[in-house]
Amino acid sequence: MVRRVAVVGAGCSGLACIKICVDEGLEPVCFESSDDIGGMWNFRETPEPDRTSIYRSLVVNTSKEMMCFSDFPMPSDYPNFMHNSQLLQYFRLYAEHFDLLRYINFQTTVRSVLQRPDFSLSGQWEVVTINKNGQEERHIFDAILVCSGHYTHPTLPLSDFQGHETFSGRCLHSWEYKDANAFTGKRVVVVGTGNSGGDIAVEISRSAEKTFLSTRQGAWVLGRMSTNGVPLDIAVIKRINNVLFQLLPKTLVNWAAERALNNKYDHILYGLKPKHRLMERNLMINDDLPGRILQGAIVMKNNLEGFKDSRVVFEDGTVEKNIDAVVFCTGYIAKFPFLPSTLSEGPYEEVTLYKRAFPPSLQPPTLAVMGLFQVKGPLMPTVEMQARWAVKVFLGQSRLPTKEKMLDVIESERRRNMQSYPCPRQAVLQVDYIPYLDFMAGEVGVRPKLLRLFLRDPVLWAKVFFGPCTPYQYRLSGPGNWSGARQAIFTQWERVSQPFRTREIPDNTSKFGLCSPLMLTFTGTVIIVVLFSKGKIVTTLEVATEMLNKSTVFLRELWFSLPQNPDM
């Protein structure tokens, strides 16, 4: 029977795992190699080998209501998109509130995680650690949660570029970058148009003589702000939108989204337009890049081809002279050197995982890897749900498919994702935010039951279905439910608006008319009934009309309960 669980790492994933283990009556023991919590969000002045590293100015790309833990909302006065230091403070509040620090062994490095000789029967592991005094210790655990992250081993592909040996400037990876001080008055090339590449190029461009941003394929660039200035993810990540994305042709969705984005800044004109459609791959989140291009501070360039002394050559044949530094924002390789090599079963020796959590070869399944995925949505609620699912599997309350079935699912998802991500390593990492959360929530028994909500609590249903898919939805019912979840959903817009309330302004606007909730109710009624009608359209409309008539009872309550900035 599973009792003792080793948690490797005390970042956001590790903290969530410790808390969930305690909730389920287990005994977590966390090993953290550094002297503090926070993982990658704990800024260090100097990068340390085998640890994550961030730059001083890093700001989160997902808003506080979307990225918080599901039973611990962020403080109302926190900005919607916070600096890394404020996110670290949130982790401290979380750890203090749930008394998590007492489970963490700081300055203790996990050297190896090995299966015990009787693993097929016991599922137990032997964990070898080294403490701050250099002493080696051996521990026996019933299960393992790997939360060490995958941004520890940077990919610096210098060997791919001819002439790099004689380049007179400096080459570095974004893992080493801390701030732009060293680049003042310099001519700098930044390679890569992921989020880090955009951030670093913008920051360097404010003090450098000239900054060039080199891209292999281009990127769709979105700011953090949506219509009326609300956070983009709150406006987009909704269940109603997820339904529409599944029903509407992808070509139409891409065309509409690209048209709206190009109305802000034409991606062809700005040299940003990629080869792929907007919804097919990950986006760059950056508020300032188009403006810096407009000002001439950043110049977009094609893919880097090679070096010639102090010159940098690009694939289109153009050359930039007197380059002082090249910053490679070229990603990381996921490595877990302490895990058994037998778990690296993939064709590229990557850790193969069913639903991005469980190695399919392990029987019994007493090890899970947290956070090894890429998602168009917030990380923390996804990792938290992974942990809730993993613990249920450890306890035997959720069953995994057979090894053959899991391998079939992995291969099927990889082939599907390779339509958008030709690189197999990238393809296996991709998950869709709401469907992935809902799948795991279904395994745990906490997936929101929309039809039941509609019938029993229609006001809450409207906020869950039409509003942002905030993490609190997964605490409304089932194992681990939180009594404050409903109230957290009803007050989420208050916390969004609170940090803006720094100046009193007369508000002469009125709430929208009754037709809006009426239309929402009718639309929701039709959608839900259609989903359960199996195509009987005439009957569907009749039933929808009948349900709409019954719904008028709660319209007034719905209308008056909506905030000034409704989440629908």
Side-chain angles (χ1 to χ4, degrees):
M1 181 176 179
V2 173
R3 296 300 301 173
R4 297 186 77 227
V5 180
V7 179
V8 184
C12 66
S13 303
L15 293 175
C17 286
I18 296 170
K19 192 259 184 187
I20 290 162
C21 284
V22 173
D23 288 347
E24 294 292 337
L26 302 178
E27 302 171 10
V29 179
C30 179
F31 300 108
E32 168 55 45
S33 61
S34 73
D35 59 358
D36 200 0
I37 64 171
M40 68 172 288
W41 295 104
N42 194 322
F43 173 78
R44 310 273 175 160
E45 291 287 346
T46 304
E48 302 174 15
D50 298 329
R51 292 183 184 164
T52 54
S53 175
I54 60 173
Y55 37 96
R56 191 186 312 277
S57 62
L58 181 60
V59 172
V60 300
N61 287 331
T62 49
S63 65
K64 65 177 183 180
E65 285 301 296
M66 300 298 296
M67 72 180 297
C68 67
F69 293 119
S70 59
D71 55 357
F72 195 71
M74 290 197 184
S76 297
D77 61 341
Y78 271 37
N80 285 283
F81 293 98
M82 67 199 73
H83 184 259
N84 62 80
S85 60
Q86 285 183 295
L87 182 56
L88 178 60
Q89 180 59 30
Y90 171 72
F91 294 149
R92 298 197 193 285
L93 294 174
Y94 182 77
E96 179 182 357
H97 181 79
F98 294 109
D99 193 20
L100 305 180
L101 294 182
R102 64 193 181 101
Y103 300 99
I104 304 175
N105 297 279
F106 291 106
Q107 295 180 288
T108 303
T109 302
V110 174
R111 184 174 180 178
S112 65
V113 175
L114 299 173
Q115 294 161 293
R116 298 263 290 166
D118 63 345
F119 179 82
S120 60
L121 297 175
S122 67
Q124 290 184 326
W125 300 84
E126 181 178 86
V127 177
V128 179
T129 62
I130 300 176
N131 64 23
K132 61 182 178 182
N133 299 318
Q135 297 173 327
E136 183 177 285
E137 297 177 309
R138 295 178 180 271
H139 318 260
I140 304 301
F141 287 99
D142 300 308
I144 309 289
L145 288 166
V146 179
C147 307
S148 54
H150 59 283
Y151 297 115
T152 55
H153 295 84
T155 302
L156 186 58
L158 285 179
S159 59
D160 294 346
F161 303 107
Q162 185 177 359
H164 71 90
E165 305 92 342
T166 59
F167 177 56
S168 60
R170 178 190 178 193
C171 291
L172 68 152
H173 192 275
S174 58
W175 179 84
E176 302 176 61
Y177 176 86
K178 292 298 176 179
D179 54 44
N181 293 342
F183 305 98
T184 301
K186 308 289 187 180
R187 291 171 59 83
V188 183
V189 174
V190 178
V191 179
T193 48
N195 289 326
S196 296
D199 284 349
I200 290 172
V202 165
E203 185 168 80
I204 288 177
S205 74
R206 300 191 188 283
S207 56
E209 177 188 321
K210 200 72 172 181
T211 304
F212 305 92
L213 181 55
S214 168
T215 177
R216 183 189 308 169
Q217 294 183 326
W220 293 104
V221 181
L222 280 76
R224 293 176 175 85
M225 188 186 301
S226 182
T227 307
N228 296 325
V230 303
L232 176 68
D233 52 0
I234 279 187
V236 173
I237 303 177
K238 301 179 178 182
R239 292 185 178 278
I240 176 63
N241 288 345
N242 190 56
V243 171
L244 292 176
F245 290 156
Q246 294 177 16
L247 295 177
L248 296 174
K250 290 184 179 180
T251 303
L252 176 62
V253 174
N254 279 311
W255 173 82
E258 291 168 8
R259 185 173 184 273
L261 190 56
N262 282 323
N263 281 338
K264 293 183 178 180
Y265 35 86
D266 189 321
H267 279 58
I268 295 179
L269 178 64
Y270 277 61
L272 292 167
K273 189 176 186 301
K275 300 175 183 178
H276 58 270
R277 304 302 300 271
L278 188 143
M279 304 298 294
E280 289 178 350
R281 297 192 189 177
N282 292 326
L283 311 169
M284 180 199 288
I285 306 296
N286 196 291
D287 300 310
D288 302 319
L289 179 61
R292 299 304 291 167
I293 295 174
L294 187 63
Q295 298 166 30
I298 292 178
V299 176
M300 296 301 301
K301 302 293 292 187
N302 280 324
N303 194 33
L304 182 67
E305 185 175 78
F307 300 87
K308 290 183 180 179
D309 300 323
S310 65
R311 294 171 292 171
V312 171
V313 183
F314 300 92
E315 285 186 348
D316 60 355
T318 59
V319 177
E320 293 298 339
K321 301 178 181 179
N322 302 319
I323 298 299
D324 299 291
V326 178
V327 183
F328 287 86
C329 303
T330 44
Y332 296 81
I333 298 176
K335 289 185 178 180
F336 304 94
F338 52 86
L339 291 181
S341 58
T342 53
L343 298 184
S344 300
E345 303 173 294
Y348 301 94
E349 297 186 352
E350 73 273 15
V351 178
T352 304
L353 299 172
Y354 170 68
K355 292 297 182 181
R356 306 310 311 147
F358 293 98
S361 61
L362 280 183
Q363 291 297 329
T366 54
L367 181 145
V369 179
M370 303 288 100
L372 188 55
F373 56 80
Q374 292 182 350
V375 62
K376 293 177 184 175
L379 170 72
M380 286 159 51
T382 314
V383 168
E384 182 187 36
M385 188 60 72
Q386 278 189 325
R388 295 175 74 181
W389 180 31
V391 169
K392 291 295 183 184
V393 171
F394 294 163
L395 292 172
Q397 298 171 10
S398 176
R399 301 285 182 181
L400 298 181
T402 63
K403 176 182 177 180
E404 292 72 22
K405 177 63 175 176
M406 287 191 282
L407 290 173
D408 287 345
V409 170
I410 292 170
E411 179 61 19
S412 174
E413 292 176 346
R414 184 189 66 82
R415 286 199 304 267
R416 183 194 65 197
N417 290 336
M418 283 191 68
Q419 297 175 14
S420 299
Y421 297 85
C423 174
R425 291 187 183 183
Q426 287 291 316
V428 297
L429 294 176
Q430 308 307 314
V431 294
D432 296 323
Y433 183 64
I434 293 180
Y436 185 49
L437 275 177
D438 277 354
F439 166 79
M440 293 187 292
E443 296 296 307
V444 177
V446 296
R447 180 173 178 173
K449 297 177 174 58
L450 294 179
L451 184 58
R452 182 180 298 178
L453 265 184
F454 179 80
L455 297 174
R456 295 184 178 181
D457 195 342
V459 180
L460 177 60
W461 166 83
K463 291 182 178 293
V464 168
F465 189 72
F466 292 103
C469 187
T470 44
Y472 321 121
Q473 295 187 11
Y474 298 101
R475 293 284 182 177
L476 288 170
S477 61
N481 67 83
W482 174 42
S483 60
R486 186 179 189 275
Q487 181 63 17
I489 293 173
F490 272 73
T491 57
Q492 56 198 7
W493 278 101
E494 287 296 311
R495 289 186 296 279
V496 169
S497 61
Q498 180 63 36
F500 294 108
R501 295 173 182 167
T502 56
R503 172 175 169 256
E504 186 175 348
I505 299 176
D507 185 5
N508 298 321
T509 60
S510 60
K511 290 187 177 182
F512 54 83
L514 185 61
C515 62
S516 295
L518 182 63
M519 286 304 298
L520 288 178
T521 304
F522 180 73
T523 304
T525 302
V526 171
I527 289 175
I528 282 191
V529 177
V530 164
L531 293 177
F532 289 93
S533 67
K534 299 181 179 179
K536 299 176 182 178
I537 301 300
V538 176
T539 305
T540 294
L541 293 176
E542 292 174 352
V543 174
T545 303
E546 181 181 351
M547 293 181 71
L548 177 62
N549 292 334
K550 294 180 180 180
S551 300
T552 56
V553 176
F554 75 87
L555 275 177
R556 182 175 298 276
E557 179 186 355
L558 172 63
W559 182 31
F560 285 109
S561 71
L562 290 172
Q564 285 297 113
N565 291 315
D567 58 2
M568 305 183 178

